[in-house]
Amino acid sequence: MAAQLNTVGSATVGHVCAVPHAPGAVPAVRGRLRTVFAEWGLSPGDTMDALVVVSELLTNALVHALPPATLRLLWIRLDDRGTLRVEVTDAGPSLPADGGTTPDPDEHGRGIAIVSALSTRCGIRIHPDGITRWADLDAA
């Protein structure tokens, strides 16, 4: 699969895919992205960091938000450096099936901290269509 790059503003879109709200969606996307990152020449370390960030952001969208979920990978220039931006957009928060019980912190709740630790910047954009969570990773 050749990387298709399209320019959007000052960013180059490297990969976009809809992610189904289904078991096995995150591992399937990770498998596809291993191939994409290899074609782009990402180093093994950058590939692992990017796959962890993608996994955490996608899992967050699939567990806590309404569909649809869309993954975008963009190449952007920040401070004269190439940066891989990972964006996951969903339709906004869903109500928990249990009526709002807080998840067990030993099993959940570390994803955004992991994303923050691996990225140079990360954040959230709220817009009329939902929420986009994003993270920037320096990539060699």
Side-chain angles (χ1 to χ4, degrees), residues 28-114:
V29 169
R30 272 195 318 257
R32 182 181 325 149
L33 292 183
R34 284 183 202 282
T35 301
V36 170
F37 293 153
E39 289 174 355
W40 290 352
L42 240 58
S43 72
D46 290 340
T47 294
M48 289 308 298
D49 288 351
L51 289 173
V52 170
V53 168
V54 166
S55 296
E56 294 298 337
L57 292 179
L58 280 179
T59 298
N60 186 65
L62 297 177
V63 171
H64 301 292
L66 297 169
T70 303
L71 168 69
R72 276 181 206 79
L73 302 175
L74 305 112
W75 286 104
I76 60 174
R77 299 289 297 168
L78 287 175
D79 302 325
D80 292 326
R81 298 180 68 169
T83 299
L84 176 63
R85 174 163 291 173
V86 176
E87 294 185 350
V88 174
T89 301
D90 58 56
S94 64
L95 294 175
D98 62 5
T101 302
T102 304
D104 180 352
D106 290 336
E107 295 182 27
H108 301 285
R110 294 183 299 264
I112 297 304
I114 292 168

Side-chain angles (χ1 to χ4, degrees), residues 11-31:
T12 301
V13 177
H15 189 78
V16 178
C17 69
V19 180
H21 270 63
V26 174
V29 169
R30 272 195 318 257

